[in-house]
Amino acid sequence: LILTSVVPPELPIELSLAVNTSLISLAKMGIYCTEPFRIPFGGKVDVCCFDKTGTLTSDSLVVQGIAGISSSSDKSKIDLVPAYESPLETQYILASCHSLVMLDGELVGDPLEKAALQAVDWRITKNDTVAPSRGRRSSLNIVHRFHFSSALKRMSTVSLLTTPTDSTSSYIVSVKGAPEVVKNMLSIIPSDYDQLYLKLARRGARVLALGYRKLGRLSMRDAGSLKREEVEKELTFAGFVVISCPLKSNSKESVKILKDASHHVVMITGDNPLTACHVAKELKISSKQLLVLKRIEEGVFLWENVSGSITHPLEIERLAIRQL
């Protein structure tokens, strides 16, 4: 008697009608639901989180060029050199610092690394050897890899370099990674290093710093036994590789539909925060001013706007008291 009074007998029928109506509406929009009982749970969703690369932006990455290797009198202008016209050392890094493999005649691996290899017009042959697609120039045999780590934000390789002008081979270290990480490994840091990569990131480009070090002649055993901390130091700067990630054609429309439906849209990415802010602005994820939380030193954080003109310290003690 109590259950009958609390739960109206019409409720199951009304729920079934609501689900069926929702199925028809979704089908008209080209959305087909294989588990109709999920629809009531879908109505509870109010936050939508998206990855950036490959989800909001396209997988077809484009290498725009190499920055920081040509000197220009006009500091406001960024000179981009095509990857295949960059210095040989820069090409060595892009051609050897990767985890790509050939599988059944097809290049398999990270889309970014594939785009970089194609940009310098090199190809992978057997036994982890890379060589230019045209001409008889240098070749590199990758003997040791220190794979990319999201915590370390970098990758490095040790390769055996063979050139047509030298009868003997030598070893070279190739490193690529986040500019703020590679900076601490350089023997000489360019004066406009920070200014240049931050300017590129604010334009929405994905920026990786490149560095190399010539090890000279080593035995195969010694080269293969090198530790990561032994090779990732005293590097020579070889430029910034600038990569664009165009938005997918339906990203703006999808975000607008979700926001119009009172959903909170969140973008999650491991890219540079300034690059993420540019994409968020393009998609109109937020109408407010975007701020980036920067770590100055241990326990000291700072809020900064995209242009860097406004800063505000984060008061951790007050925040901790508020949470308590």
Side-chain angles (χ1 to χ4, degrees):
L1 181 62
I2 296 175
L3 288 174
T4 308
S5 301
V6 174
V7 182
E10 299 87 358
L11 182 60
I13 300 174
E14 291 174 351
L15 286 175
S16 298
L17 287 172
V19 170
N20 288 332
T21 304
S22 300
L23 284 171
I24 294 171
S25 299
L26 290 171
K28 290 179 179 178
M29 299 177 65
I31 302 171
Y32 299 93
C33 181
T34 58
E35 298 179 345
F37 66 91
R38 302 283 187 188
I39 289 178
F41 295 100
K44 297 180 180 180
V45 175
D46 56 3
V47 178
C48 299
C49 300
F50 296 95
D51 179 35
K52 183 180 79 68
T53 307
T55 304
L56 295 173
T57 61
S58 173
D59 277 330
S60 57
L61 306 179
V62 179
V63 176
Q64 294 183 332
I66 309 298
I69 57 176
S70 60
S71 57
S72 174
S73 57
D74 187 3
K75 296 297 181 182
S76 61
K77 182 181 178 182
I78 299 177
D79 291 329
L80 289 178
V81 178
Y84 60 87
E85 293 181 2
S86 61
L88 278 177
E89 290 78 9
T90 303
Q91 296 186 40
Y92 293 159
I93 299 169
L94 295 176
S96 63
C97 195
H98 57 73
S99 301
L100 300 174
V101 294
M102 290 296 294
L103 186 62
D104 295 332
E106 183 179 353
L107 193 61
V108 178
D110 189 342
L112 187 150
E113 294 178 342
K114 288 196 285 187
L117 189 66
Q118 292 169 0
V120 293
D121 199 18
W122 283 52
R123 58 186 174 85
I124 297 179
T125 59
K126 59 182 180 179
N127 300 325
D128 264 344
T129 300
V130 289
S133 300
R134 303 173 185 175
R136 296 182 60 188
R137 293 184 292 173
S138 309
S139 65
L140 291 161
N141 178 234
I142 304 170
V143 298
H144 197 16
R145 280 188 176 95
F146 298 100
H147 290 277
F148 174 80
S149 167
S150 57
L152 299 176
K153 297 183 179 180
R154 65 181 183 270
M155 175 186 179
S156 56
T157 59
V158 179
S159 304
L160 181 63
L161 172 63
T162 304
T163 59
T165 58
D166 194 350
S167 58
T168 59
S169 302
S170 59
Y171 286 90
I172 184 172
V173 173
S174 304
V175 180
K176 69 176 181 182
E180 65 272 16
V181 174
V182 176
K183 177 182 179 181
N184 301 323
M185 304 174 185
L186 299 177
S187 56
I188 300 176
I189 302 173
S191 58
D192 60 343
Y193 185 94
D194 291 335
Q195 179 186 357
L196 182 56
Y197 90 79
L198 289 174
K199 184 182 293 185
L200 290 165
R202 290 189 183 103
R203 295 182 178 182
R206 190 169 181 179
V207 185
L208 294 177
L210 308 176
Y212 72 94
R213 181 159 67 96
K214 295 182 178 180
L215 298 176
R217 300 176 187 176
L218 294 173
S219 66
M220 181 72 74
R221 181 178 179 180
D222 290 340
S225 62
L226 289 171
K227 296 181 179 179
R228 190 162 202 157
E229 56 270 17
E230 294 176 333
V231 300
E232 294 177 344
K233 64 179 183 179
E234 299 177 3
L235 303 176
T236 301
F237 180 62
F240 297 111
V241 57
V242 183
I243 303 160
S244 64
C245 307
L247 294 175
K248 285 187 175 179
S249 58
N250 61 344
S251 292
K252 286 186 178 181
E253 182 184 0
S254 299
V255 170
K256 183 179 184 302
I257 290 173
L258 290 171
K259 290 180 68 67
D260 290 344
S262 300
H263 287 76
H264 184 59
V265 180
V266 177
M267 180 176 63
I268 302 173
T269 178
D271 285 356
N272 188 288
L274 295 176
T275 304
C277 288
H278 177 84
V279 175
K281 184 178 179 182
E282 289 289 311
L283 293 173
K284 298 181 180 179
I285 289 179
S286 176
S287 57
K288 300 179 181 179
Q289 184 182 31
L290 299 175
L291 299 175
V292 177
L293 184 62
K294 296 181 65 177
R295 179 183 176 184
I296 307 303
E297 57 186 48
E298 185 66 31
V300 180
F301 296 88
L302 194 71
W303 286 110
E304 186 177 75
N305 67 342
V306 175
S307 63
S309 58
I310 301 175
T311 58
H312 184 75
L314 175 65
E315 299 177 0
I316 298 179
E317 293 181 359
R318 182 179 296 181
L319 182 62
I321 292 173
R322 189 178 300 174
Q323 289 179 344
L324 292 174

